[in-house]
Amino acid sequence: QLPDQQKMSESPLSWFRGVYLPPALHPLNKTLVKGGKWKDVDSAQEKRRSFLHDFCKKYNSRKQLRTHLVHLVSRIYVEDRHKVLYCEVPKAGCSNWKRVLMVLNGLAPSAHNISHDDVHYGKHLRKLDSYDLKGIYTRLNTYTKTIFVRDPMERLVSAFRDKFEHPNSYYHPVFGKAIIKKYRHNANEEALKTGSGVKFKEFIQYLLDSHRPVGMDIHWEQVSNLCYPCLINYDFIGKFETLEEDANYFLQLVGAPAELKFPKFKDRHSSDERTSAEVVRQYLKELSKEERQLTYDFYYLDYLMFNYTSP
């Protein structure tokens, strides 16, 4: 997206260095879309794209970039057959998206019989940072790049419920123990030993603490830090709130097989109620007014760039 001569003289790294304005918004290639039923989805898509682009133009004009290119693309999955780049945002349909990428890639016949462990620990899909600089650069410039996002508070509460309200052999001993030790006064021995039973208020205290006892995690990291939407020019912005129609429209755009539809099933804890706005309200009641405000501030950029209504 730079003049050809300039492209030749600049290395991929220098392209991402220094002051950087988002590249021009290119029209989506809609030649493979069949039928007229996608009009509303397409119109919503165009609004999201131009909103994000305008936001980035304003926000990014004086911002120095200090992030290495390879780090910028470390959450992006590659599907070479249909030339798709998908940036993973946990708790926004990512398990089912990875299933779909596996089907597109010819690694599975259907999205419905791929287990959760296969999706997340099977190492079937390549990430963009596993390619050399030329490979990264070429794919960023020529593949269809997509990101799927979710209301930040819903995503946060969904992550808390998934990781702390169910048995978990990683999050309880690693995060739970550290959180209970630092934020629970008079914690009993059992809680300190297992790390189970973290309360939402304690989790928020950890999240907002600049001296966290354990680091951040991708399940509650801001989308602005996972996918860098003002530096990588995403062609398609899907939302969890309209997940199925957005995903199925995107599959049309990239020429996916007609029989491939985005799966509807809930990946884990399928008997649990989905994290809705009402569920979120119940959790936020546990926080003080100040904690609620600070949590919103923490996700302020995500609210702004994806045009979510502040709670």
Side-chain angles (χ1 to χ4, degrees):
Q1 291 157 2
L2 293 168
D4 284 347
Q5 209 177 345
Q6 204 178 340
K7 262 190 202 172
M8 298 296 284
S9 65
E10 289 194 17
S11 75
L13 264 181
S14 66
W15 187 53
F16 275 96
R17 198 178 282 135
V19 176
Y20 174 88
L21 282 169
L25 196 59
H26 285 284
L28 266 175
N29 179 358
K30 297 168 191 173
T31 51
L32 298 170
V33 176
K34 295 174 182 68
K37 69 170 188 170
W38 302 107
K39 214 173 101 187
D40 291 349
V41 187
D42 179 64
S43 153
Q45 190 51 230
E46 292 303 341
K47 282 184 189 136
R48 286 174 201 166
R49 279 158 44 86
S50 59
F51 184 92
L52 178 62
H53 186 262
D54 292 346
F55 167 80
C56 292
K57 234 179 3 192
K58 265 189 293 200
Y59 169 75
N60 242 38
S61 56
R62 291 182 192 81
K63 198 171 181 303
Q64 285 293 116
L65 175 68
R66 306 193 188 284
T67 310
H68 195 287
L69 171 64
V70 173
H71 177 72
L72 280 184
V73 301
S74 63
R75 306 291 339 147
I76 296 180
Y77 284 88
V78 179
E79 199 286 286
D80 280 316
R81 279 186 176 187
H82 297 79
K83 300 194 168 180
V84 170
L85 297 181
Y86 162 71
C87 188
E88 176 188 30
V89 175
K91 312 313 295 175
C94 72
S95 300
N96 279 339
W97 257 118
K98 286 197 252 186
R99 288 183 172 94
V100 166
L101 292 178
M102 285 170 73
V103 176
L104 285 175
N105 224 338
L107 297 167
S110 152
H112 289 271
N113 47 18
I114 308 169
S115 73
H116 178 87
D117 284 0
D118 236 11
V119 166
H120 291 286
Y121 311 114
K123 304 267 189 283
H124 300 294
L125 296 166
R126 274 189 84 171
K127 285 188 181 164
L128 193 50
D129 62 355
S130 70
Y131 294 82
D132 63 14
L133 285 179
K134 185 168 180 274
I136 293 173
Y137 190 55
T138 305
R139 284 169 179 79
L140 278 176
N141 271 319
T142 58
Y143 283 21
T144 307
K145 301 175 287 298
T146 184
I147 179 175
F148 272 70
V149 297
R150 184 177 187 176
D151 174 276
M153 289 292 185
E154 277 190 27
R155 187 175 154 244
L156 176 69
V157 170
S158 175
F160 172 78
R161 293 174 76 201
D162 181 25
K163 303 306 174 196
F164 296 102
E165 291 186 351
H166 294 274
N168 192 298
S169 59
Y170 172 71
Y171 284 90
H172 292 199
V174 174
F175 286 88
K177 277 160 84 163
I179 289 171
I180 289 169
K181 187 178 176 189
K182 181 159 187 184
Y183 307 106
R184 186 179 299 177
H185 305 299
N186 311 320
N188 66 37
E189 221 174 296
E190 179 68 10
L192 288 168
K193 199 171 83 182
T194 64
S196 297
V198 169
K199 296 180 173 69
F200 186 63
K201 191 179 176 74
E202 294 166 339
F203 173 64
I204 295 301
Q205 285 175 299
Y206 143 79
L207 186 79
L208 301 174
D209 187 348
S210 56
H211 302 289
R212 291 185 198 99
V214 262
M216 275 299 280
D217 182 84
I218 59 167
H219 291 85
W220 43 87
E221 180 69 270
Q222 299 101 322
V223 178
S224 48
N225 287 341
L226 287 171
C227 296
Y228 299 96
C230 280
L231 299 170
I232 292 168
N233 203 20
Y234 289 97
D235 303 292
F236 192 93
I237 300 149
K239 290 197 167 183
F240 186 80
E241 294 74 13
T242 48
L243 178 60
E244 263 176 73
E245 56 258 53
D246 287 353
N248 287 325
Y249 179 50
F250 179 78
L251 289 173
Q252 287 255 314
L253 285 170
V254 298
E259 67 279 4
L260 178 60
K261 298 284 181 279
F262 192 80
K264 292 180 181 180
F265 60 83
K266 195 170 185 281
D267 190 46
R268 292 200 303 170
H269 318 309
S270 51
S271 59
D272 286 8
E273 184 188 352
R274 273 198 188 274
T275 303
S276 62
E278 187 44 51
V279 169
V280 169
R281 259 195 293 278
Q282 298 308 316
Y283 279 83
L284 293 183
K285 278 180 186 170
E286 296 174 32
L287 308 180
S288 68
K289 194 175 175 187
E290 187 192 14
E291 284 168 332
R292 287 200 292 270
Q293 180 63 48
L294 289 169
T295 307
Y296 168 70
D297 294 346
F298 187 83
Y299 291 106
Y300 182 59
L301 266 188
D302 288 1
Y303 272 101
L304 282 187
M305 56 175 58
F306 300 112
N307 201 14
Y308 279 109
T309 310
S310 55

